[in-house]
Amino acid sequence: MEMTDDSSAESAASGGAANSLWGGRFGAGPSAIMREINASIGVDKRLWRQDIAGSRAHVAMLGARGIVSAEDAAAIDAGLQQIEAEYAAGGLVEDLALEDIHLHVETRLKEIIGPAAGRLHTARSRNDQVATDFRLWVKAACAEADAALAGLVAALLARAEEHAETIMPGFTHLQVAQPVTLGHHLMAYVEMFGRDRGRFADAARRMDECPLGAAALAGTSFPIDRAMTAAALGFAGPTRNSLDSVSDRDFALEYLAATQLTGLHLSRLAEEIIIWASQPYGFVTLPDAWSTGSSIMPQKRNPDAAELVRAKAGHFLAAFTRLSVVMKGLPLAYSKDMQDDKVTVFAAFDDLGLCLAAMTGMVASIRFNAGRMRAAAASGFSTATDLADWLVRAGGVPFREAHEITGRCVRAAEAKGCDLDGLSDAELAAIDARITPAVRSVLSVEASVASRTSFGGTAPANVRAAIAAARERLG
Ligand code: ARG
């Protein structure tokens, strides 16, 4: 049934039947609006694989512990496998009256195997069930994010290697500061996305505990084996406190926090691509596959994918805040507020996948215009620091004084309308006698970058070493 199905709304509004799975103490069914606000099937149907896996692990344990007969356990498991095959083949038919994925599966099981289906929910509650399903889902989402980030990092490493010697301006305040290599600039993002991978891995490790068996909130009097279900579902072990098990959504928040930082990093790279692609810069050209045109201006090539990645970073920030606000101040243990966790996480997951795929595609295929980058790197007296450093090294001048002398050279070059390299030996010597022709060795942008060999510096040799080390480290 659809949300907007009038017949269901009418029957419920006129006092339809109480819920068949929890309606024993109710005389009448919920109102149509109650049904609509309460149902989560439209969202949590995405958990169907996890839900069935959780139920299969649970019933295997119930059978092993003699809590249900081997016969019933086998019938339930066979029924669950049939449902899995049905959903895989044709999806599920949504029914608002059945609220969520848990009741859909259980109701279908009853249709298939009859009353024995009622034994599946022994020693379990939807509270520990949904916590388990969702953890399984988010754990897999962390692994997916990691794999997608690894792909982006691989693309960045390949381009960095190609451009280990390509010179571009390094900026501070978006003002030309010192020349750097493009490879070095790209490797800065390798560092960021490497940390993001670490955050997803770390979150996945912490959420690797199984809440199943916490039941509604207090545990259960049945002799269950929580270690067995945890192991069957691929968790490192069971959670330790039943109240925490059903009320914790830190795992979802940690996923969103890692997503938020990844999005933030993606947005910075997206922003640089947008700036670099604009005509006054002309540092890059996006291939047709990653550009869009304008319906009125025939000459346009717009970096829409990068702009949308930049925009979606805002959604990730909002997603973390949104779920934090849902969880803030909730008393222990489960409250229905928590049902609203999934819509936020699923949307962030979908957007993150798109953003990482788009960014990987752009990085792999973007054309860098090395000539434009080099020309810009040489502008803005970008080797002024090199001149000051040379005065310190070659002339024994204290750095502060060297800074002042270099400032005068910049002023002279500005007045003459040339770069520092455009001042003659005589003009330089007139500013300070300690500036000899040997200074030429540091005034070019090539000499400047080649000299920055300190650990983590921009020299091409360092960039190559950093790429090799990153390949080793990140695997
Ligand atoms: N659909 C619910 C959710 O996602 C399942 C848990 C329902 N628990 C309850 N006590 N009503 O949160």
Side-chain angles (χ1 to χ4, degrees), residues 86-149:
E86 286 174 5
Y87 286 178
L92 61 79
V93 183
E94 289 178 40
D95 180 351
L96 288 197
L98 293 176
E99 295 183 24
D100 55 26
I101 184 61
H102 323 297
L103 298 190
H104 276 71
V105 172
E106 205 180 319
T107 303
R108 182 71 189 120
L109 185 65
K110 195 169 167 199
E111 284 166 11
I112 298 170
I113 69 164
R119 299 193 187 279
L120 169 61
H121 213 51
T122 313
R124 183 178 80 168
S125 154
R126 275 190 290 163
N127 296 350
D128 59 338
Q129 196 179 349
V130 73
T132 304
D133 294 0
F134 198 27
R135 269 198 198 224
L136 281 171
W137 195 94
V138 177
K139 234 179 86 174
C142 287
E144 256 191 64
D146 183 68
L149 276 164

Side-chain angles (χ1 to χ4, degrees), residues 17-30 99:
N19 187 295
S20 64
L21 290 141
W22 50 250
R25 55 114 58 234
F26 289 84
E99 295 183 24

Side-chain angles (χ1 to χ4, degrees), residues 370-386:
R372 295 281 298 215
M373 287 187 161
R374 193 197 172 290
S379 71
F381 312 107
S382 66
T383 54
T385 317
D386 298 274

Side-chain angles (χ1 to χ4, degrees), residues 40 44 100 102 126-127 130 334 336 338-339 342:
S40 56
D44 62 28
D100 55 26
H102 323 297
R126 275 190 290 163
N127 296 350
V130 73
Y334 178 85
K336 199 58 172 266
M338 290 160 68
Q339 177 166 282
K342 291 169 230 47

